[in-house]
Every structure is written in structure tokens, then in C-alpha cells.
Amino acid sequence: MPNKPFIADHPLIQHKVTLLRDKRTSSKQFRELIQEITELMVYEATRDLPICDVEVETPLTKTVGRKIAGRKLAFVPILRAGLGMVDGAVELVPSARVGHIGLYRDEKTLKPVEYYCKLPGDIHEREVIVLDPMLATGGSAVDAIGQIKKRGPKNIKFMCIIAAPEGLKALQEAHPDVQIYCASLDECLNEHGYIVPGLGDAGDRIFGTK
Ligand code: PRP
Ligand code: URA
């Protein structure tokens, strides 16, 4: 059985996703919103990090506080659009390593084409959170996670902002062990493989290309 996906219901996330969808939102605002949503999502996705007791001395006395125990994180954005999520993620977890996987969808077949992969050397000691704002057919996420699994990380989570039901199903079937986090589960894909209602082409909106 695949893990039940986490679909954000927080009002702040829903509000920001609505602004993100708006076609009048500028690239600058779009990048800021992606960063803010990612921060809120990473907060949820790190809820299960183990913690341990540590002694700390306040100006008044010694006490026992809590710190994140040992487990190390790596964020792996799927290029290009996943890059828009990196700043938000490392803002919350500055000690995390960042790997990169370059994939683009062939416009006709909608199949992912790989062009780059650089992952942290110690990825086998890390928990990985894969970042990509869009989960459409699921081809890119399935492929990227397959590449990361070959390097034997401890655990993999996948974080997106908008998911289509088709992509969610494909990812759950291919990688049932991967916990999925998304800010919105949309209605469907159109005949060009775009998510509806979606937000258009995330990479183009982040980088101002067309
Ligand atoms: C987008 C998006 C995902 C992919 C999702 O990237 O960022 O990586 O499409 O589609 P899928 O689930 O059907 O594979 P795109 O191929 O447009 O490349 P880009 O980020 O370089 O613009
Ligand atoms: N990639 C995007 O950027 N947007 C979509 O709707 C589908 C794939």
C-alpha cells in the first residue's frame, strides 16, 4: 500500500497557491510565493525528524532542551522549476546538502529526457526530499526518484506544489515507499499534459522564459 499523500490544507498555503495560479502574477512575485510555500511545506515534511535531549545553559540556569538528532537531509530539485523551491527549503534547513537532477519533458511524447545528475557523495547517509513544483503525468518524478534510489539514500520524500491525479497515481504505483507532499491536488491533465486548473508552465513563470 502506498503512503497516503499529504495534501496541505493550511489557509496560508491555500492563499499563496491561489496567488501563484493567477496569470497576472509577475515572475518576481511568483518566485517569492514558491519560496514561501516551500518553507511552509518543508515545515510539514520535517515533522517526523527525530530529536534528542541536550543540556543548555540559559542566562539563569541549566536546562534540557531538544535538538534534531543526527539524521541528515538532502534536497534534490528537478531542474529547472525545482530550483525555485531550493531557497525556501535551505532557509529552514541550512545544513542540508543540495543535489540536482536535470530532466525535461519531451513536448510530443511527454516522456522525461535526462540531461544532468549530481547528488551528494554521502547521500546513502541522508534522507532526501525531491523538489518539483509540478507533478503532471508523473514521468519526471518517477524517473528522478529512480535515479536517486540507485544511490541508496535512507529515505525519499517528494514535494510538489500542484499535483494532477494522474501523476499522483503514477508516482504511488512506481514508488509506493515515497511519501508525497503537495499543496494542491488539481482536477486533471489537458490534452497537452498541462495540469488543469494548474498555473501554466512553472519553469517559464519562474524564469520569465516562454
Ligand atoms: C515540468 C515540471 C516537472 C515536469 C512535470 O518541467 O517542472 O519537472 O514538467 O511533468 P510530468 O509530471 O509530466 O513529468 P519541464 O519539463 O517543463 O522542464 P523545465 O522545468 O525545465 O521547464
Ligand atoms: N509542467 C508544468 O510546468 N506545468 C504543467 O501544468 C505540467 C507540467
Side-chain angles (χ1 to χ4, degrees):
M1 273 290 281
N3 287 315
K4 192 170 178 287
F6 172 90
I7 299 170
D9 60 358
H10 196 289
L12 282 174
I13 297 181
Q14 292 181 35
H15 179 89
K16 290 175 192 294
V17 169
T18 302
L19 297 174
L20 204 58
R21 292 186 193 280
D22 192 327
K23 65 180 186 184
R24 297 167 301 179
T25 297
S26 67
S27 282
K28 176 177 184 290
Q29 287 173 307
F30 195 89
R31 286 193 293 271
E32 289 166 357
L33 287 162
I34 293 250
Q35 178 171 341
E36 289 163 12
I37 294 166
T38 304
E39 285 177 25
L40 295 166
M41 299 280 291
V42 168
Y43 175 79
E44 292 293 353
T46 49
R47 217 172 245 292
D48 62 353
L49 285 181
I51 48 177
C52 61
D53 289 347
V54 288
E55 195 172 271
V56 60
E57 196 168 350
T58 78
L60 304 183
T61 183
K62 281 188 179 167
T63 186
V64 175
R66 286 176 176 166
K67 274 192 168 175
I68 293 172
R71 184 130 50 120
K72 299 173 177 174
L73 277 181
F75 294 110
V76 179
I78 301 178
L79 309 182
R80 289 178 300 167
L83 284 177
M85 300 173 75
V86 173
D87 286 354
V90 297
E91 180 76 22
L92 282 202
V93 192
S95 63
R97 297 285 188 271
V98 180
H100 296 86
I101 291 191
L103 293 176
Y104 68 87
R105 285 199 316 179
D106 180 279
E107 279 181 14
K108 291 209 176 71
T109 64
L110 299 183
K111 299 281 177 231
V113 181
E114 297 166 17
Y115 60 88
Y116 189 74
C117 180
K118 180 79 181 170
L119 299 172
D122 61 355
I123 199 163
H124 54 281
E125 295 172 8
R126 293 182 181 268
E127 173 169 327
V128 172
I129 303 185
V130 180
L131 305 171
D132 192 329
M134 309 305 278
L135 180 66
T137 65
S140 303
V142 167
D143 194 289
I145 291 169
Q147 290 192 50
I148 296 167
K149 277 189 174 172
K150 287 184 200 155
R151 303 276 298 274
K154 284 189 161 173
N155 181 41
I156 302 179
K157 294 174 177 172
F158 177 80
M159 181 178 295
C160 62
I161 295 181
I162 311 270
E166 295 88 333
L168 193 60
K169 184 165 176 284
L171 183 51
Q172 286 180 314
E173 281 175 7
H175 299 294
D177 53 311
V178 170
Q179 177 68 55
I180 301 169
Y181 296 82
C182 70
S184 174
L185 179 57
D186 276 15
E187 286 164 23
C188 59
L189 294 177
N190 71 10
E191 64 276 23
H192 305 294
Y194 275 82
I195 302 175
V196 180
L199 48 72
D201 188 303
D204 284 344
R205 294 196 66 186
I206 291 170
F207 297 108
T209 49
K210 193 79 191 110

